Amino acid sequence: YGVAVRLTWEQIDDLDISVEWESAQVRNEREDAELAILRHEKLQTPIDVAWAEAGYSQDEIDAMKEETDVRRNAVMGALVAQIAQLGQQPPAPAVAPASSGNGRAVVPESAASGPEQVGSGTNA
C-alpha cells in the first residue's frame, strides 16, 4: 500500500506525528434538525446557531442569512411604501354614532350578533 522508508532512531525521535479521527458517533440528521428547531423556538437560540446544530456549514449559514436579509428588506420596503401611500390618502370622515333617542347608540344587527362576526370570518 505504501512505500517502505528506512529511518534511523534519531530521525524517528524527530518525527512529529498526529492523527485526526473521525467521530465514532452516528448522526441522525432528522433528530439533529428537530433538536435545533426546538432549541431555537423554546430557548430562543440565534437562528445561525440552530442552523449550525442542524449540520449546515458556515458558508451555507452565511448564504441563508443573506437570503433572509434580502427577504426581510423586501418586506420592509413594501411596508414603507404602504405607510407612505396611507399618509397621502385623505382622512376618513368622522361619523357620529346613530342614536335611538334614548341616549344609547344604535348597534347594527351584524355587530350585535356576537364576536363571531369580528375578524377574518373564520371560526377555529
Side-chain angles (χ1 to χ4, degrees), residues 16-92:
D16 184 21
I17 299 174
S18 65
V19 177
E20 292 185 27
W21 296 95
E22 290 286 331
S23 174
Q25 182 179 9
V26 178
R27 283 191 63 199
N28 182 326
E29 291 182 13
R30 181 178 178 188
E31 285 180 8
D32 290 346
E34 289 173 353
L35 184 57
I37 291 168
L38 182 66
R39 285 183 181 154
H40 175 66
E41 290 175 349
K42 300 295 183 190
L43 302 177
Q44 299 177 345
T45 59
I47 190 65
D48 48 333
V49 172
W51 286 334
E53 289 176 349
Y56 290 99
S57 71
Q58 188 60 47
D59 289 340
E60 292 171 316
I61 291 169
D62 292 342
M64 288 187 289
K65 285 172 70 173
E66 186 174 330
E67 175 64 26
T68 300
D69 289 344
V70 167
R71 282 187 276 147
R72 184 177 295 130
N73 288 341
V75 169
M76 291 301 290
L79 287 173
V80 167
Q82 288 179 352
I83 291 169
Q85 186 179 21
L86 288 173
Q88 295 173 0
Q89 295 177 355

